[in-house]
Amino acid sequence: MSDRPPVSAISSAARVFTLTWPSVAWARRTPWPLPLLAWPLLPPLLGRLAGVPSEWTASVGWIYRDVLLPLAVLFQASRLIRQDVESGTIVYLLARPAPRASIVAGQFAAYAAAALAVVLPAIAAGFVLGARAQGLDVLASALAASTAVVVLYGAFFMLAGLMLKKPMVPGLVAVLVALALSYFPGGLSLLSPTTHLRTLSGDPPPLPELTALMAAGVLALAAVACLATAVIVFKNGEYLPEP
Amino acid sequence: MTPALEFEGASRWYGPVIGINDVSLKVAPGVVGLLGPNGAGKSTFLRLAAGQIAPNRGRVLAFGTPTWGSSAILQRIGLSPETDGLWARQSGRDVVTSLLRLNGLEYEPARERATAALARVRLADVQDRRAGGYSKGMRQRLKLAQAIAHDPDLLLFDEPLNGLDPVNRRHVIELVKTLGREGKTVVVSSHVLHEVEAMTRRIVLINKGRVLAEGEVAEVRALLDAHPHTVAVRARDVRGLARELVALPHVRSVNFGTDGQWVTAQTAEPDAFYAAVQEHGDGCGVTEMYATDDDLESVFRYLVPR
């Protein structure tokens, strides 16, 4: 065993995923954001039960994409790695010859898989339940924007959880700042992820030259930047179990 | 020959608190006891050795490679930390298997090694139970199993006898000695001298972050004999156990805990005391035992020049 070379980052990440998946998918705090994640299902369902037809996009609305989903993500993603520090399991992960980047990647993948497993089916089911028929392009845009929220905000809040001991309040402020910034006129609103998420969802962009593809590119770059920073922070950090 | 573990003027502090201070030593194969009172710097020493934290000054090397920032060297290190946290929802075997997979093993070989390691610490019969349902002693042995499962050359055990019942305490002591005989380098920390003495003759004395002495345990033991040792024992029949203990000639006093499950005894001969509990313990349902005294403090008062 002593001569065995260190395991590759990708295969380590897959193994960290397997190890941490159960605790990421279901922990004591998990039930809290579940209603937020499942929100897309509720208005169409209630509308159908009450016999009040409504368009799915209008009934679910911006509040899900811009506020509720980011808040649910804040709950879930900010405790990645931190929950291992709190429970003491981080010591066992760091005692293994797995590159630290793989621990970040494996945990993030476990979180994203768990979140998307709730969000995407909820959106699809809500779309089907919606009383008025809408094109599949509306569903595709909603799925793409929600996936972007889970990935981008997840990466950002994971980083916040690594850098801050109590990331909830700053995270909440970040969500509100992103929302407020998106209402600023002209180019300034481009600094907000919310603007790009809206464009990805099919809303009219603040600048005519901004396309959905460009918005997706900006969001992907921002997510990669957050993840890369999280890897650097984790690589250089010390994580002692909390007493 | 490159030493298994080497500290080169290593210091580590946490803000204003000193963890270890200018420690230089080399550890050769075999069992070495890292001995010191609570807060002496033992856990910091082991964390540095395991690459979990970085020294603020100096270097810490395992087999010639700095332990901080080198994930490859961790292939040769096994750590059983003081912290109790493990993945509570997974079975003991799944925990060890998953951790072994982070050492690069495929699932089946990892499973086989995990099974073997759990058998080695006598957890075979409960290996498929959720780790969250394990007693403190079982968790302690699970920690040891995951540390030895990948067959590392350098083993770091932080207070490995904490929470163990007399039978498993003896078994773990034997395990540590066997690992030493197999050519491994085993560093075992404890704040109880006779625990370390049962495993090895080589000790490193540490207090307030400084290495006070390295060498044979007999010299330190001589200083301790004048002081009584306090041992807490948990049993179903504490009154029956207390009756047995009071009758022993070397037991100076016996006290009951407030919860009715513990009895603490002061003894001048800890080895004889443990043997007696081993002998009478089954009838009284002894489940846990540990030394509570800080007698080493008095030894350190002798050793530290004023």
Side-chain angles (χ1 to χ4, degrees), chain A residues 108-132:
Chain A
F108 182 76
Y111 141 79
L116 291 175
V118 177
V119 170
L120 299 186
I123 290 174
F127 185 81
V128 171
L129 282 172
R132 288 186 192 166

Short mmCIF file of all heavy atoms in Angstrom, two decimals, chain A residues 108-132:
data_model
loop_
_atom_site.label_atom_id
_atom_site.label_comp_id
_atom_site.label_asym_id
_atom_site.label_seq_id
_atom_site.Cartn_x
_atom_site.Cartn_y
_atom_site.Cartn_z
N PHE A 108 -19.30 19.41 -3.85
CA PHE A 108 -20.13 20.29 -4.65
C PHE A 108 -21.02 19.47 -5.59
O PHE A 108 -22.21 19.76 -5.76
CB PHE A 108 -19.27 21.27 -5.46
CG PHE A 108 -20.08 22.24 -6.26
CD1 PHE A 108 -20.70 23.32 -5.64
CD2 PHE A 108 -20.27 22.06 -7.61
CE1 PHE A 108 -21.48 24.21 -6.36
CE2 PHE A 108 -21.05 22.96 -8.36
CZ PHE A 108 -21.65 24.03 -7.72
N ALA A 109 -20.43 18.44 -6.17
CA ALA A 109 -21.22 17.59 -7.08
C ALA A 109 -22.36 16.91 -6.31
O ALA A 109 -23.48 16.79 -6.83
CB ALA A 109 -20.31 16.55 -7.72
N ALA A 110 -22.08 16.48 -5.09
CA ALA A 110 -23.12 15.82 -4.29
C ALA A 110 -24.26 16.80 -3.98
O ALA A 110 -25.44 16.46 -4.09
CB ALA A 110 -22.52 15.29 -2.98
N TYR A 111 -23.88 18.03 -3.63
CA TYR A 111 -24.89 19.06 -3.37
C TYR A 111 -25.72 19.35 -4.62
O TYR A 111 -26.95 19.38 -4.59
CB TYR A 111 -24.22 20.35 -2.86
CG TYR A 111 -24.87 21.59 -3.41
CD1 TYR A 111 -26.06 22.06 -2.86
CD2 TYR A 111 -24.33 22.26 -4.52
CE1 TYR A 111 -26.69 23.18 -3.40
CE2 TYR A 111 -24.94 23.37 -5.04
CZ TYR A 111 -26.13 23.82 -4.49
OH TYR A 111 -26.76 24.91 -5.03
N ALA A 112 -25.02 19.57 -5.75
CA ALA A 112 -25.72 19.95 -6.99
C ALA A 112 -26.67 18.84 -7.42
O ALA A 112 -27.82 19.11 -7.82
CB ALA A 112 -24.71 20.26 -8.09
N ALA A 113 -26.20 17.61 -7.30
CA ALA A 113 -27.06 16.48 -7.69
C ALA A 113 -28.30 16.43 -6.79
O ALA A 113 -29.42 16.23 -7.28
CB ALA A 113 -26.27 15.18 -7.60
N ALA A 114 -28.08 16.62 -5.49
CA ALA A 114 -29.21 16.56 -4.55
C ALA A 114 -30.20 17.69 -4.82
O ALA A 114 -31.43 17.48 -4.83
CB ALA A 114 -28.70 16.63 -3.12
N ALA A 115 -29.69 18.90 -5.05
CA ALA A 115 -30.57 20.06 -5.28
C ALA A 115 -31.33 19.92 -6.60
O ALA A 115 -32.55 20.12 -6.66
CB ALA A 115 -29.75 21.35 -5.26
N LEU A 116 -30.60 19.54 -7.65
CA LEU A 116 -31.25 19.44 -8.97
C LEU A 116 -32.26 18.29 -8.99
O LEU A 116 -33.25 18.35 -9.72
CB LEU A 116 -30.20 19.25 -10.06
CG LEU A 116 -29.31 20.49 -10.31
CD1 LEU A 116 -28.21 20.18 -11.31
CD2 LEU A 116 -30.15 21.67 -10.80
N ALA A 117 -32.01 17.26 -8.18
CA ALA A 117 -32.95 16.13 -8.13
C ALA A 117 -34.30 16.57 -7.57
O ALA A 117 -35.32 15.92 -7.79
CB ALA A 117 -32.37 15.00 -7.27
N VAL A 118 -34.33 17.67 -6.81
CA VAL A 118 -35.60 18.20 -6.29
C VAL A 118 -36.14 19.28 -7.22
O VAL A 118 -37.33 19.28 -7.59
CB VAL A 118 -35.41 18.77 -4.87
CG1 VAL A 118 -36.71 19.39 -4.36
CG2 VAL A 118 -34.95 17.68 -3.92
N VAL A 119 -35.26 20.19 -7.62
CA VAL A 119 -35.70 21.38 -8.37
C VAL A 119 -36.23 21.03 -9.76
O VAL A 119 -37.34 21.45 -10.13
CB VAL A 119 -34.51 22.38 -8.50
CG1 VAL A 119 -34.86 23.50 -9.46
CG2 VAL A 119 -34.18 22.95 -7.13
N LEU A 120 -35.46 20.27 -10.52
CA LEU A 120 -35.85 20.04 -11.92
C LEU A 120 -37.16 19.26 -12.04
O LEU A 120 -38.05 19.67 -12.80
CB LEU A 120 -34.71 19.36 -12.69
CG LEU A 120 -33.40 20.17 -12.76
CD1 LEU A 120 -32.38 19.48 -13.65
CD2 LEU A 120 -33.64 21.60 -13.25
N PRO A 121 -37.34 18.17 -11.28
CA PRO A 121 -38.64 17.48 -11.36
C PRO A 121 -39.80 18.38 -10.89
O PRO A 121 -40.90 18.30 -11.43
CB PRO A 121 -38.49 16.28 -10.43
CG PRO A 121 -37.03 16.06 -10.35
CD PRO A 121 -36.40 17.41 -10.46
N ALA A 122 -39.53 19.23 -9.87
CA ALA A 122 -40.59 20.12 -9.38
C ALA A 122 -41.01 21.09 -10.47
O ALA A 122 -42.21 21.35 -10.67
CB ALA A 122 -40.11 20.87 -8.14
N ILE A 123 -40.04 21.64 -11.20
CA ILE A 123 -40.37 22.58 -12.29
C ILE A 123 -41.13 21.84 -13.40
O ILE A 123 -42.16 22.33 -13.90
CB ILE A 123 -39.08 23.21 -12.84
CG1 ILE A 123 -38.50 24.18 -11.80
CG2 ILE A 123 -39.34 23.94 -14.16
CD1 ILE A 123 -37.16 24.76 -12.17
N ALA A 124 -40.63 20.67 -13.77
CA ALA A 124 -41.27 19.92 -14.85
C ALA A 124 -42.71 19.55 -14.47
O ALA A 124 -43.64 19.70 -15.28
CB ALA A 124 -40.46 18.67 -15.17
N ALA A 125 -42.88 19.09 -13.22
CA ALA A 125 -44.22 18.71 -12.79
C ALA A 125 -45.14 19.93 -12.73
O ALA A 125 -46.32 19.86 -13.11
CB ALA A 125 -44.14 18.03 -11.42
N GLY A 126 -44.59 21.05 -12.24
CA GLY A 126 -45.38 22.28 -12.18
C GLY A 126 -45.80 22.73 -13.58
O GLY A 126 -46.93 23.20 -13.79
N PHE A 127 -44.90 22.54 -14.52
CA PHE A 127 -45.19 22.93 -15.90
C PHE A 127 -46.33 22.09 -16.47
O PHE A 127 -47.25 22.61 -17.12
CB PHE A 127 -43.92 22.74 -16.74
CG PHE A 127 -44.04 23.22 -18.16
CD1 PHE A 127 -43.90 24.56 -18.46
CD2 PHE A 127 -44.31 22.33 -19.19
CE1 PHE A 127 -44.00 25.01 -19.76
CE2 PHE A 127 -44.42 22.77 -20.49
CZ PHE A 127 -44.27 24.11 -20.78
N VAL A 128 -46.27 20.80 -16.19
CA VAL A 128 -47.31 19.89 -16.69
C VAL A 128 -48.66 20.23 -16.04
O VAL A 128 -49.71 20.19 -16.68
CB VAL A 128 -46.92 18.42 -16.41
CG1 VAL A 128 -48.07 17.47 -16.71
CG2 VAL A 128 -45.71 18.05 -17.25
N LEU A 129 -48.60 20.57 -14.74
CA LEU A 129 -49.84 20.86 -14.01
C LEU A 129 -50.43 22.22 -14.37
O LEU A 129 -51.59 22.48 -14.10
CB LEU A 129 -49.57 20.83 -12.49
CG LEU A 129 -49.47 19.45 -11.85
CD1 LEU A 129 -49.01 19.59 -10.42
CD2 LEU A 129 -50.81 18.75 -11.92
N GLY A 130 -49.58 23.12 -14.93
CA GLY A 130 -50.05 24.46 -15.29
C GLY A 130 -51.28 24.37 -16.20
O GLY A 130 -51.34 23.56 -17.12
N ALA A 131 -52.27 25.20 -15.93
CA ALA A 131 -53.55 25.05 -16.61
C ALA A 131 -53.47 25.43 -18.08
O ALA A 131 -54.11 24.81 -18.92
CB ALA A 131 -54.59 25.90 -15.90
N ARG A 132 -52.68 26.46 -18.40
CA ARG A 132 -52.62 26.88 -19.80
C ARG A 132 -51.39 26.30 -20.48
O ARG A 132 -50.30 26.32 -19.91
CB ARG A 132 -52.55 28.40 -19.88
CG ARG A 132 -53.86 29.04 -19.51
CD ARG A 132 -53.76 30.52 -19.77
NE ARG A 132 -54.90 31.20 -19.17
CZ ARG A 132 -54.96 32.50 -19.00
NH1 ARG A 132 -53.95 33.26 -19.35
NH2 ARG A 132 -56.03 33.06 -18.47
#
